[in-house]
Amino acid sequence: MNLSQVGEFGLINLLKKDLLPASPGVIAGIGDDAAVLQCAGDCWQLFTTDMLVEGIHFRLDWCDYADVGYKALAVNISDIAAMGGRPTHGVVSLALPEHIQVADVLAIYRGLREMAGLYQVNLVGGDTVKSPGPLVINIALLGEVPAGRAVYRSGAAPGDLIYTTGRLGTAAAGLYVLSHQVNCSPSLKEQLIKAHLRPVPRVAAGVLLAGLEGVSALDDNSDGLAAELREICSASSTGCLIWQKALPVLPAVSRLAGRLGTDILDWVMNGGEDYELLFTLRPKHRRAVEEALQRAAVPFTAIGVMLPAGEGLLLERPNGVREMINMRGYNHFAGSPAG
Amino acid sequence: MNLSQVGEFGLINLLKKDLLPASPGVIAGIGDDAAVLQCAGDCWQLFTTDMLVEGIHFRLDWCDYADVGYKALAVNISDIAAMGGRPTHGVVSLALPEHIQVADVLAIYRGLREMAGLYQVNLVGGDTVKSPGPLVINIALLGEVPAGRAVYRSGAAPGDLIYTTGRLGTAAAGLYVLSHQVNCSPSLKEQLIKAHLRPVPRVAAGVLLAGLEGVSALDDNSDGLAAELREICSASSTGCLIWQKALPVLPAVSRLAGRLGTDILDWVMNGGEDYELLFTLRPKHRRAVEEALQRAAVPFTAIGVMLPAGEGLLLERPNGVREMINMRGYNHFAGSPAG
């Protein structure tokens, strides 16, 4: 069977079922943003890894080496944030094509170091090998969360409200600007490209949410809203309803999409890489959680509500019509375009 | 500057100096087999990562997918053993070429699972992405060692005895058999190829050595004896003398090298991938350590003695002549052949 027939999620399910049994000391293994490990003391340890491959996740004619290092660490930090944790220690593996220069490798590390400095991550080791093909960077990252406080994808229930931090679709707009000749102001272009190349993981928001009552599920928006909703709904055995009118998008991004004849919903649902946090909330905790987010100056928007599983994953159009959410969120091996 | 001009070790030194400063909570960062992290409780945590790339570290016409998974985890476990620790939890990243089948990926995981089962490693997560080029597998592995008991490369002093576990050159002979038409008995061929494809990390020996007084430095023989000696001598600011006559080699491997007209010393010094442990020992603890290894049925051989740094790295030939050790041990980017 070909990989595109099972897809990334199908593969994870195969692996979970047959090959990677649960073990003592492992509070949560494969299948969430990070594994959760028992450890001595009053913290749980988080452990995640993400690999970026040249030509799939980035193109060196669209970014520089420092951007690659920066983003590779940022997406791992976002996985820790998506469990409600803080990152602590990381290791970096690089497969380097023959032609690469020492200055290029040092630039990758400058990007890594910049991101590491922003989030107090200690880069403590790594491996550097030759590649006969693309540049590959893999990071494995540890984090910590107070014992009992990790937030999974699986805790949502029908009736819970669905929120996102920040704005959606900005990174997808940045990718579009990088990959097309787009006529827009240099400052907007720069802002959108930065959103794509230099995402800002929501660690403070994740830590805050993990400490609040009523936050029932948490995920980071790496693969597009549609894919993340599917993950939460699948893990929680629920459906969901998203209100299109509520989706937070930068006005300049909406206007750009309109001008280009692109469906803004496609950028939001399928673009991914915004690295915002998607979370669900028991309605009775709504006021307390919203006030806490406001006090912490974390931008957030309620974008929908969880439904019973039988309802499926629905989008309410501005005219009130409900339709199934189109599942084209980025999924390795499913043949959709790279982000 | 090209990478081949600085080499892997030069690159690590550049990174250590400028980009990866020491941090609180990090007992030992980049530059040994694994990082050593402070953690709550009476253990230190070990953290390592190793990446294997198709065409560089393995060829799929010489091994099957299960071998790739098995070895990728084995080499990481060996890094933990080389600090005196036990492995605990791992995460696996795979970059998969388009043509790969689901059955192939499951075979990689069967190999991983087999190795994980032998050493009680919990595989708790990972990342699976597309590759436009070679298959790439990266593993990051955690381990633990009693607090204060990690053994570094840097602890050797002139006068310390140098030991290796097991036999050297066997994996190099296996690689030779895989890559050449060699006329030898099927059972020998199988044994040698297995040494190359299915190395056995020395976890029990590492844990034992870390608990004994007088063991001053420890490393695993992944890149060949010459490279590992250089690492210990460089980290410890010493020289060394190796007695060629003492080097432990399987008689069948010696005979094969002789028959092929290959210098067995090249396999031992530069072949690598035996994943035996190389360690140094204060002479006054010799009897106690040797007895402990014998009781634990760990095969070992004294192969030399540490010298002051000014003496360099020397090999004593069987005729008593001393010469400098030829530094061709496998080093990425230095242009030597892949192992």
Side-chain angles (χ1 to χ4, degrees):
Chain A
M1 200 181 347
N2 201 284
L3 272 180
S4 61
Q5 291 169 262
V6 297
E8 186 177 5
F9 304 106
L11 186 64
I12 290 172
N13 285 334
L14 281 173
L15 296 175
K16 265 166 83 168
K17 203 170 54 185
D18 294 333
L19 291 170
L20 301 173
S23 301
V26 180
I27 295 159
I30 193 170
D32 215 306
D33 294 291
V36 184
L37 309 177
Q38 193 75 258
C39 62
D42 49 5
C43 274
W44 283 350
Q45 192 166 44
L46 305 171
F47 193 13
T48 188
T49 192
D50 259 312
M51 183 179 269
L52 303 192
V53 179
E54 181 185 356
I56 302 291
H57 302 88
F58 61 89
R59 286 175 53 159
L60 288 164
D61 49 344
W62 292 352
C63 69
D64 63 28
Y65 285 100
D67 294 327
V68 173
Y70 183 102
K71 185 162 177 176
L73 185 52
V75 304
N76 276 279
I77 291 175
S78 184
D79 280 330
I80 297 294
M83 303 300 294
R86 289 180 194 287
T88 55
H89 303 92
V91 290
V92 180
S93 298
L94 290 170
L96 300 173
E98 202 88 44
H99 60 77
I100 203 169
Q101 299 293 301
V102 172
D104 302 334
V105 181
L106 294 180
I108 294 173
Y109 267 87
R110 266 201 310 281
L112 283 166
R113 174 102 192 267
E114 188 181 341
M115 179 45 54
L118 289 172
Y119 291 88
Q120 287 88 53
V121 173
N122 297 315
L123 295 176
V124 294
D127 192 21
T128 311
V129 300
K130 235 188 299 201
S131 169
L135 173 64
V136 181
I137 179 167
N138 189 89
I139 292 178
L141 188 62
L142 293 170
E144 59 183 25
V145 64
R149 277 299 181 185
V151 189
Y152 304 97
R153 294 173 181 162
S154 55
D160 288 358
L161 292 161
I162 306 170
Y163 287 80
T164 185
T165 61
R167 313 278 191 148
L168 300 179
T170 323
L175 178 62
Y176 191 94
V177 167
L178 278 169
S179 56
H180 296 76
Q181 293 286 356
V182 173
N183 198 358
C184 70
S185 79
S187 68
L188 176 61
K189 198 175 269 190
E190 194 188 320
Q191 180 188 3
L192 300 180
I193 290 175
K194 197 172 167 201
H196 179 70
L197 296 180
R198 300 249 167 176
V200 178
R202 290 277 189 190
V203 174
V207 168
L208 177 63
L209 289 168
L212 295 171
E213 289 305 303
V215 177
S216 50
L218 184 57
D219 202 356
D220 69 326
N221 190 341
S222 50
D223 294 333
L225 182 60
E228 308 305 336
L229 287 168
R230 178 168 63 177
E231 288 183 1
I232 289 181
C233 288
S234 160
S236 300
S237 300
T238 60
C240 69
L241 174 68
I242 298 295
W243 310 310
Q244 182 175 353
K245 269 202 294 201
L247 291 171
V249 175
L250 279 178
V253 169
S254 274
R255 283 195 301 272
L256 181 67
R259 200 149 57 74
L260 296 168
T262 296
D263 186 356
I264 179 69
L265 206 57
D266 187 48
W267 285 352
V268 170
M269 285 291 178
N270 305 317
E273 306 208 77
D274 287 312
Y275 299 99
E276 295 295 345
L277 293 180
L278 184 68
F279 64 96
T280 62
L281 179 59
R282 304 272 188 260
K284 71 170 177 167
H285 297 280
R286 176 171 197 164
R287 179 185 296 261
V289 168
E290 290 192 353
E291 283 174 2
L293 289 168
Q294 271 156 358
R295 275 195 304 275
V298 174
F300 65 91
T301 312
I303 61 170
V305 63
M306 300 305 283
L307 299 178
E311 306 279 323
L313 281 65
L314 302 176
L315 178 75
E316 188 173 283
R317 292 288 196 175
N319 62 8
V321 173
R322 293 180 177 192
E323 56 187 58
M324 300 295 293
I325 290 176
N326 172 12
M327 279 300 155
R328 213 177 55 74
Y330 190 62
N331 166 3
H332 277 275
F333 318 117
S336 60
Chain B
M1 198 177 355
N2 202 283
L3 270 180
S4 61
Q5 291 169 262
V6 298
E8 186 177 5
F9 304 107
L11 186 63
I12 291 173
N13 283 334
L14 280 174
L15 296 175
K16 264 167 83 168
K17 204 169 53 182
D18 293 333
L19 292 171
L20 301 173
S23 302
V26 180
I27 295 159
I30 192 171
D32 216 306
D33 294 291
V36 184
L37 309 177
Q38 194 75 258
C39 62
D42 50 4
C43 274
W44 283 352
Q45 193 166 44
L46 305 170
F47 192 13
T48 189
T49 192
D50 259 312
M51 182 179 270
L52 303 191
V53 179
E54 182 184 356
I56 303 289
H57 301 89
F58 62 88
R59 287 175 51 159
L60 288 164
D61 49 345
W62 293 352
C63 70
D64 62 28
Y65 286 100
D67 294 327
V68 173
Y70 184 101
K71 186 162 176 176
L73 185 52
V75 305
N76 277 278
I77 292 175
S78 184
D79 280 329
I80 297 294
M83 303 300 292
R86 287 179 195 289
T88 56
H89 303 91
V91 290
V92 180
S93 298
L94 289 170
L96 300 173
E98 201 89 43
H99 60 76
I100 205 168
Q101 299 294 301
V102 172
D104 302 333
V105 181
L106 294 180
I108 294 172
Y109 267 88
R110 266 202 309 282
L112 283 167
R113 174 101 193 267
E114 188 181 340
M115 178 45 52
L118 289 172
Y119 292 88
Q120 287 87 56
V121 173
N122 297 315
L123 295 176
V124 294
D127 191 22
T128 310
V129 300
K130 235 190 298 201
S131 169
L135 173 64
V136 180
I137 178 167
N138 189 89
I139 292 179
L141 188 62
L142 293 171
E144 60 183 24
V145 64
R149 278 300 183 185
V151 189
Y152 304 96
R153 294 174 181 161
S154 55
D160 288 359
L161 291 161
I162 306 170
Y163 287 79
T164 185
T165 61
R167 313 278 191 148
L168 301 178
T170 324
L175 178 61
Y176 191 95
V177 166
L178 278 168
S179 55
H180 296 77
Q181 293 287 354
V182 173
N183 198 359
C184 70
S185 79
S187 69
L188 177 61
K189 199 175 268 191
E190 193 188 321
Q191 181 188 2
L192 300 180
I193 290 174
K194 196 171 167 203
H196 178 71
L197 297 180
R198 298 250 167 178
V200 179
R202 290 275 189 191
V203 173
V207 168
L208 178 62
L209 288 167
L212 295 171
E213 289 304 304
V215 176
S216 50
L218 183 57
D219 202 356
D220 70 326
N221 191 340
S222 51
D223 294 333
L225 183 58
E228 307 305 335
L229 287 169
R230 179 169 62 175
E231 288 183 359
I232 289 182
C233 288
S234 160
S236 301
S237 301
T238 60
C240 70
L241 174 68
I242 298 294
W243 311 309
Q244 183 175 352
K245 270 203 295 204
L247 291 171
V249 176
L250 280 178
V253 169
S254 274
R255 282 195 301 272
L256 181 67
R259 200 150 59 73
L260 296 167
T262 296
D263 187 356
I264 178 69
L265 205 58
D266 187 48
W267 285 353
V268 170
M269 285 290 178
N270 305 316
E273 304 208 78
D274 288 311
Y275 298 100
E276 296 295 345
L277 293 180
L278 185 67
F279 63 97
T280 62
L281 180 59
R282 303 274 188 256
K284 72 169 177 169
H285 296 280
R286 176 171 196 162
R287 179 185 296 262
V289 168
E290 290 193 353
E291 282 175 3
L293 289 168
Q294 271 156 0
R295 274 195 305 273
V298 175
F300 65 91
T301 312
I303 61 169
V305 62
M306 299 306 280
L307 299 179
E311 307 277 325
L313 281 66
L314 302 175
L315 177 75
E316 186 172 284
R317 291 290 198 173
N319 63 7
V321 172
R322 293 179 177 192
E323 56 187 57
M324 300 295 294
I325 291 175
N326 173 12
M327 279 301 154
R328 213 177 58 71
Y330 190 62
N331 167 2
H332 277 274
F333 318 116
S336 60

